[in-house]
Amino acid sequence: MIVGFDYGSSNCAIGTMADDRQVRLLELEAGRCYLPSTLYAQHNTLIVDFVAKQLANTEYGNDYRQSRLALLNGIGAIRQDLDLATGDTGIHIGQAAIDEYIDFPEEGYFVKSPKSFFGAVGLKPQQISFFEDIATAMIMQIKHRAEQQLAQTITHTVIGRPVNFQAVGGEQSNQQAVDILTVAAKRAGFKEVEFLYEPLAAGIDYESRLNQDQKVLVIDIGGGTSDCSFVQMGPSYRGRSERQQDFLSHTGKRLGGNDLDIATAYRSFMPLCGLDSTLKSGLPMPNQLYWQACKINDLHLQTEFYAQASSRHLQAMLKDVSEPEKLARLLTIQQNKLGHQVVRQGELSKIALSSDAHYVAELGCIDDDLTKLVTQTQLQDAIADSLQQICILAQDAITSAQTQPDVIYLTGGSAQSPLIKAALQQSLGDIPMLNGDNFGSVTAGLTKWATQIFK
């Protein structure tokens, strides 16, 4: 069985080609085709335990168990301490992971958008192994749910990938991320795995509806990355199994919807926690701790923020600041691992302000009855730098292609924002701009490409 697999930074989806040659997205969670890219484990070693049990009696089983033996030797005591029943994995994915994190933020291990970390520079071998385990555990469960619906074993897939996984690191970072995903997909049971740029996948879905050739600039603003692909498309091109000669340019950066959420949370909510206030000496508050609290897609900053040293530092600062009641809120975030919940309110603000003039963010997780009114103007100010970077990516793609596009095709969860559209139009001029399926275009294109190359 052949599928397209969008292992996205915000959501995961799987598509298959139906008998009527239309792409069908499979249900992955409670009647929904899009599963949030999140994982929660009551203890991080439970992820290793889950993968080891799934790989038992497979070609990968013995080698995997030997490579994780030190961790697995302590799993019995961990399960007993957590009072886990036989058969209870202690791990959750998707919305269930978010629900568990909200209920028990300080007790387990929660990761959102794991793909955002795969290309990180300076990862140690044990960190790469752990990301392989996270990806494997998620892909195993997603694949199993898809196979239950299809009543068939899935063997071949094309997985979407950004043009660049990281802003720095270059091709070495890209290869590291692709290797992690390849290892995970193979361990999950896929026999053949190929990759396709996510904006190209979205473009392939758009191309299937064209009745004349066009030069198309596809701008995919995903959860973790923004990517542009400038492609020649249409009836003269879509039957080809090799499309490299049709690609005029690619640009991409690790900057996506998650970064817009982080920027919104930082500028809108951190002042409630003391950002922009002063020390008793009159000096401004250092902003590094506030940035660490919000930067949920940076492994190193999050590790630093939730370390005991940060807790001691914040507690010591309480007597030196002019507004200790505000800094106490940052300490609450630090001690209860609430960064994801705070940034989630940034995301909800961004979504609501796509159509509404203002949004009231609920921050009771930090302080009882704490709220913050966020306006469209405040959102625009918060994400102005990110909008400029996205426009530069698009301009660079056009410059590299040495020609103007006939149309701009927008896709990705944040592409529906009127602020992004307005910024692109101001930067690029009066080029026709179309919106695709903001969530389904990539999956549909991956599915069509998988069907074409594996047929």
Side-chain angles (χ1 to χ4, degrees):
M1 187 71 185
I2 299 168
V3 299
F5 190 177
D6 183 9
Y7 184 77
S9 297
S10 293
N11 294 283
C12 299
I14 285 187
T16 185
M17 194 68 74
D19 292 339
D20 60 359
R21 308 303 295 171
Q22 297 298 310
V23 174
R24 170 194 171 200
L25 299 188
L26 302 179
E27 179 183 322
L28 297 180
E29 182 177 60
R32 297 186 294 270
C33 299
Y34 303 105
L35 181 142
S37 300
T38 52
L39 178 143
Y40 179 92
Q42 289 179 253
H43 191 284
N44 55 15
T45 306
L46 292 173
I47 302 170
V48 180
D49 182 48
F50 173 81
V51 173
K53 288 176 178 175
Q54 297 300 309
L55 290 179
N57 302 318
T58 72
E59 60 182 302
Y60 304 104
N62 289 335
D63 287 344
Y64 180 81
R65 177 166 286 276
Q66 287 300 314
S67 68
R68 306 295 195 274
L69 197 57
L71 292 170
L72 292 171
N73 282 339
I75 196 64
I78 291 170
R79 291 184 63 88
Q80 185 175 6
D81 184 57
L82 294 170
D83 196 26
L84 288 177
T86 302
D88 186 351
T89 64
I91 66 173
H92 307 270
I93 63 171
Q95 186 60 47
I98 297 172
D99 294 341
E100 287 291 319
Y101 167 68
I102 291 173
D103 289 341
F104 310 104
E106 74 287 350
E107 296 180 12
Y109 177 86
F110 178 76
V111 59
K112 178 183 178 181
S113 306
K115 190 175 75 169
S116 299
F117 301 107
F118 294 167
V121 174
L123 290 183
K124 299 175 182 178
Q126 60 266 34
Q127 290 175 310
I128 292 176
S129 295
F130 186 51
F131 285 132
E132 288 174 352
D133 294 340
I134 290 172
T136 301
M138 291 182 68
I139 294 174
M140 280 177 168
Q141 295 192 56
I142 293 168
K143 182 173 182 284
H144 176 68
R145 295 180 188 188
E147 288 174 336
Q148 283 186 313
Q149 277 191 70
L150 295 169
Q152 295 186 57
T153 300
I154 300 171
T155 56
H156 293 61
T157 190
V158 173
I159 299 176
R161 56 153 291 184
V163 175
N164 290 306
F165 284 84
Q166 290 282 322
V168 295
E171 195 50 40
Q172 184 176 354
S173 288
N174 289 335
Q175 191 58 55
Q176 174 181 284
V178 168
D179 288 346
I180 288 172
L181 283 169
T182 301
V183 167
K186 292 284 189 177
R187 286 175 177 166
F190 288 107
K191 302 301 182 185
E192 295 291 337
V193 180
E194 296 291 340
F195 292 88
L196 183 67
Y197 289 141
E198 288 157 351
L200 292 179
I204 286 171
D205 181 48
Y206 170 65
E207 182 183 47
S208 65
R209 301 189 292 275
L210 288 178
N211 54 23
Q212 63 181 15
D213 293 344
Q214 288 185 335
K215 296 190 293 289
V216 182
L217 177 62
V218 183
I219 302 177
D220 178 16
I221 306 173
T225 56
S226 291
D227 295 307
C228 302
S229 286
F230 201 147
V231 195
Q232 296 181 109
M233 295 181 176
S236 301
Y237 304 98
R238 61 177 167 235
R240 300 175 179 177
S241 58
E242 174 53 57
R243 298 294 300 270
Q244 192 61 41
Q245 67 272 26
D246 305 332
F247 307 151
L248 302 179
S249 66
H250 297 296
T251 59
K253 190 170 187 178
R254 187 175 180 262
L255 170 73
N258 294 339
D259 299 278
L260 304 184
D261 305 338
I262 289 165
T264 303
Y266 178 77
R267 288 306 327 162
S268 299
F269 309 144
M270 288 301 100
L272 299 172
C273 302
L275 180 66
D276 300 329
S277 66
T278 62
L279 300 169
K280 287 181 178 178
S281 65
L283 293 172
M285 283 287 291
N287 61 17
Q288 179 66 8
L289 284 168
Y290 297 99
W291 188 240
Q292 289 175 346
C294 294
K295 199 75 165 100
I296 60 172
N297 59 358
D298 189 305
L299 177 66
H300 301 295
L301 292 184
Q302 287 281 282
T303 300
E304 289 178 5
F305 180 67
Y306 290 119
Q308 284 297 315
S310 289
S311 179
R312 292 192 297 268
H313 180 50
L314 286 169
Q315 288 172 333
M317 285 181 67
L318 285 172
K319 64 180 182 297
D320 296 326
V321 298
S322 57
E323 297 178 281
E325 71 282 359
K326 289 186 176 180
L327 186 63
R329 291 170 177 161
L330 185 63
L331 183 60
T332 296
I333 294 172
Q334 194 274 341
Q335 292 183 333
N336 295 283
K337 298 181 180 178
L338 299 176
H340 283 278
Q341 292 194 46
V342 173
V343 174
R344 172 61 174 163
Q345 285 300 313
E347 179 183 16
L348 293 175
S349 300
K350 179 192 70 178
I351 293 170
L353 294 172
S354 291
S355 56
D356 300 333
H358 57 79
Y359 175 77
V360 178
E362 301 288 342
L363 299 165
C365 62
I366 303 174
D367 201 347
D368 290 344
D369 302 321
L370 182 65
T371 61
K372 179 63 165 65
L373 178 71
V374 186
T375 67
Q376 282 189 345
T377 300
Q378 290 170 333
L379 173 65
Q380 186 169 10
D381 290 343
I383 66 174
D385 180 66
S386 297
L387 295 182
Q388 182 182 18
Q389 292 183 63
I390 291 170
C391 291
I392 289 172
L393 282 177
Q395 290 171 335
D396 287 347
I398 293 173
T399 300
S400 296
Q402 298 182 330
T403 185
Q404 285 290 107
D406 298 313
V407 66
I408 295 171
Y409 183 70
L410 289 169
T411 187
S414 294
Q416 59 190 311
S417 169
L419 296 178
I420 289 178
K421 293 178 184 176
L424 286 168
Q425 189 167 43
Q426 183 177 4
S427 174
L428 304 180
D430 193 21
I431 302 172
M433 193 176 298
L434 302 174
N435 260 90
D437 181 340
N438 290 319
F439 295 101
S441 293
V442 171
T443 312
L446 293 171
T447 304
K448 291 173 181 178
W449 188 249
T451 303
Q452 185 166 329
I453 66 172
F454 289 131
K455 61 185 177 181

